[in-house]
Amino acid sequence: MRLAHAAIAAALVFVPASLRAEGVTTFTLDNGLEAIVLEDHRAPVVVHMVWYRVGSADEPPGKSGIAHYLEHLMFKATDELASGELSDTVARNGGSDNAFTSYDYTGYFQRIAADRLDLVMGMEASRMDGLALVEGDIVTERDVVIEERNQRTENDAGALFNEQLYAALYLNHPYGIPIIGWKHEADSLTLEDANAFYEKHYGPNNAILVVAGDVDPDEVKALAEKHYGVIAPNPAIVERNRPSEPPQLAERRLRYADPRIGSDYVSRVYLVPERNTGDQKDAAALTLLGRVLGGSSTTSVLAKKLQFENPKAVYTSAWYNGLTTDNATFGLAIVPVPDVSLDEAESLLDAAIAEFLKEGVDDEQLERIKMSFRASEIYASDNVSSIANRYGRALTVGLTLDDVEEWPDLIEAVTEEDILAAAKNFLDRKRSVTGIVRSPEVAQ
């Protein structure tokens, strides 16, 4: 859907905040399965998702990659389905399916005609407690995962650097371990490892069902009772107990050289607060700080100061990712022009931020950013997959429905003072790692 700018502005001004909560229904089954139904009757389509509150940060020591590996294996045989039957059935019915693994959650989904919800829910329930792995599955799928790592990480100098960067940022927390796993550990995962992880973390009492689209909440609940309600809760599931970060008292630095680096750059990440239930104000301020500093290639603070007013960089960026269970990250990056060294580029980056703290936030820029955020919320609401993902990701990291609904209003309420306070309080070099990334042929 495309609207003229004036129409967008009018829509953003006059849509009441309370309308965001319409068509949202929740229920919890006796076995602990939480469910949320998001009605959208504009097209006869449904997105069916099961999110598990387990990700790579919940892996046992020495078994990195097992969460993602198990995600692959979940498409193998169950007590009721042959290997690959779930995906084949979805495809034959004109739908699509996939899965994903993050630090904090693992999700499985199907997008299909609304009258096929009963079919896909039955198959998804089959693998919630009936996975039937055999040794042959382990060997072939392990090769697939290792090849995925080769393509995405080993053959990408930037990805290898990011692994080192985050390993240095998190001194004790498992967020410092890559989701896909360290290659030497992922390469040695076994059938016993996969079954043990499955039996410890999978079950209705560690899952959230999200159904979005052309559905009736009562019918969804009846289907959930039919397919998921008969599954007993898993007694092995316990509350998360992850290692925490110690006080970080020293800035860390990393110099990385790789002949495959196309453009030399500086990247810095800070440990900052995540979005916490009932306490998202700091996260809202950090979200807008990222957009003010580096959210646009033309109008952001860093772009103006370093790419246009004093062209010392060809690219600058800033970002914040707060949808995590534990400490989140705020990042900065600069790619200097050829005659500017990386050490000078880092100094220019720090100087630009110091100037920003003195000058403050441009009112017009802040209003444009908020307008863009409101527009993105409206556009996302036009896609049932986006709606389902918004709620699923938030709930699996510990947020509530109220937190999800309040988020746009918290963004709207952020002031210049909040943004500057976030920069002063959280961009602390003692809680950061700065990476200097270059091709070894270039002397620095």
Side-chain angles (χ1 to χ4, degrees):
M1 180 177 65
R2 297 189 179 211
L3 301 173
H5 290 302
I8 293 175
L12 297 177
V13 170
F14 291 112
V15 172
S18 60
L19 289 183
R20 286 192 299 269
E22 285 192 357
V24 179
T25 304
T26 63
F27 58 88
T28 302
L29 302 185
D30 291 342
N31 58 12
L33 177 73
E34 298 177 24
I36 177 169
V37 182
L38 306 163
E39 293 179 74
D40 186 329
H41 301 288
R42 290 173 293 180
V45 174
V46 66
V47 172
H48 169 263
M49 310 186 80
V50 173
W51 300 69
Y52 291 94
R53 293 186 183 90
V54 60
S56 66
D58 302 298
E59 296 167 340
K63 304 296 180 181
S64 66
I66 188 64
H68 173 250
Y69 185 28
L70 180 59
E71 173 217 308
H72 279 245
L73 293 169
M74 288 284 283
F75 290 86
K76 300 298 183 179
T78 73
D79 294 341
E80 300 172 340
L81 300 171
S83 181
E85 183 178 350
L86 188 153
S87 294
D88 291 344
T89 303
V90 171
R92 284 200 309 272
N93 282 270
S96 60
D97 74 315
N98 214 325
F100 47 84
T101 305
S102 183
Y103 290 113
D104 299 308
Y105 51 75
T106 308
Y108 304 85
F109 68 91
Q110 301 85 35
R111 181 184 174 96
I112 201 165
D115 62 359
R116 305 296 200 277
L117 179 59
D118 187 14
L119 172 67
V120 297
M121 193 178 287
M123 292 190 296
E124 190 63 68
S126 176
R127 59 181 176 181
M128 180 175 280
D129 74 335
L131 191 63
L133 298 177
V134 296
E135 191 65 46
D137 294 334
I138 296 298
V139 176
T140 57
E141 207 60 36
R142 188 171 57 204
D143 290 342
V144 171
V145 171
I146 294 302
E147 181 56 29
E148 182 179 338
R149 180 183 165 88
N150 286 337
Q151 292 178 1
R152 295 185 179 182
T153 306
E154 301 296 335
N155 293 329
D156 186 332
L160 284 173
F161 161 71
N162 281 331
E163 279 193 346
Q164 298 299 307
L165 187 72
Y166 284 91
L169 180 66
Y170 290 98
L171 299 177
N172 193 48
H173 193 281
Y175 284 170
I177 300 172
I179 294 170
I180 201 168
W182 298 117
K183 186 173 184 178
H184 69 287
E185 292 184 347
D187 197 32
S188 62
L189 295 173
T190 66
L191 174 62
E192 290 73 23
D193 295 331
N195 279 326
F197 196 76
Y198 176 76
E199 291 167 1
K200 183 176 181 180
H201 296 289
Y202 278 63
N205 48 324
N206 202 32
I208 299 173
L209 169 68
V210 180
V211 179
D214 188 21
V215 293
D216 174 80
D218 291 335
E219 293 178 3
V220 173
K221 184 175 182 181
L223 290 174
E225 291 279 9
K226 171 186 173 182
H227 294 295
Y228 295 112
V230 297
I231 301 174
N234 183 351
I237 292 170
V238 296
E239 187 175 349
R240 277 173 167 154
N241 183 24
R242 293 173 173 171
S244 58
E245 280 296 290
Q248 299 202 357
L249 307 177
E251 174 188 1
R252 274 141 287 153
R253 301 186 66 78
L254 183 67
R255 290 187 177 270
Y256 181 83
D258 192 306
R260 297 171 296 177
I261 295 293
S263 299
D264 298 351
Y265 62 97
V266 178
S267 179
R268 182 186 297 154
V269 288
Y270 301 82
L271 278 184
V272 296
E274 69 279 9
R275 286 174 62 179
N276 286 305
T277 182
D279 181 19
Q280 301 184 92
K281 290 184 178 180
D282 284 340
L286 284 164
T287 296
L288 290 191
L289 174 64
R291 298 195 182 192
V292 167
L293 283 180
S296 166
S297 61
T298 56
T299 62
S300 66
V301 169
L302 296 179
K304 284 183 176 180
K305 290 182 178 296
L306 299 175
Q307 295 175 235
F308 297 104
E309 293 175 4
N310 182 23
K312 298 291 187 179
V314 296
Y315 173 80
T316 57
S317 183
W319 64 92
Y320 167 68
N321 173 28
L323 268 178
T324 55
T325 300
D326 303 311
N327 283 133
T329 55
F330 188 96
L332 300 167
I334 178 171
V335 180
V337 297
D339 61 343
V340 172
S341 72
L342 293 180
D343 290 339
E344 182 183 355
E346 182 184 1
S347 297
L348 289 168
L349 183 66
D350 289 330
I353 294 173
E355 288 178 5
F356 161 72
L357 290 173
K358 292 179 181 178
E359 296 168 357
V361 182
D362 179 84
D363 291 339
E364 291 185 3
Q365 182 198 14
L366 182 56
E367 181 52 37
R368 283 196 305 270
I369 290 170
K370 289 184 177 181
M371 179 75 76
S372 174
F373 184 90
R374 294 192 293 268
S376 67
E377 289 284 300
I378 290 175
Y379 293 147
S381 297
D382 272 344
N383 185 308
V384 289
S385 295
S386 296
I387 297 171
N389 270 282
R390 177 192 301 171
Y391 283 88
R393 284 187 299 134
L395 297 179
T396 48
V397 299
L399 299 176
T400 65
L401 287 179
D402 286 343
D403 295 323
V404 177
E405 300 298 341
E406 290 171 359
W407 181 245
D409 295 328
L410 290 173
I411 291 290
E412 185 64 29
V414 171
T415 65
E416 174 188 26
E417 290 73 21
D418 296 330
I419 294 172
L420 295 176
K424 293 173 183 176
N425 293 336
F426 301 123
L427 301 191
D428 180 355
R429 293 280 287 270
K430 290 185 297 185
R431 293 172 58 83
S432 75
V433 178
T434 301
I436 306 296
V437 186
R438 63 182 181 84
S439 171
E441 288 82 10
V442 179
Q444 291 288 332

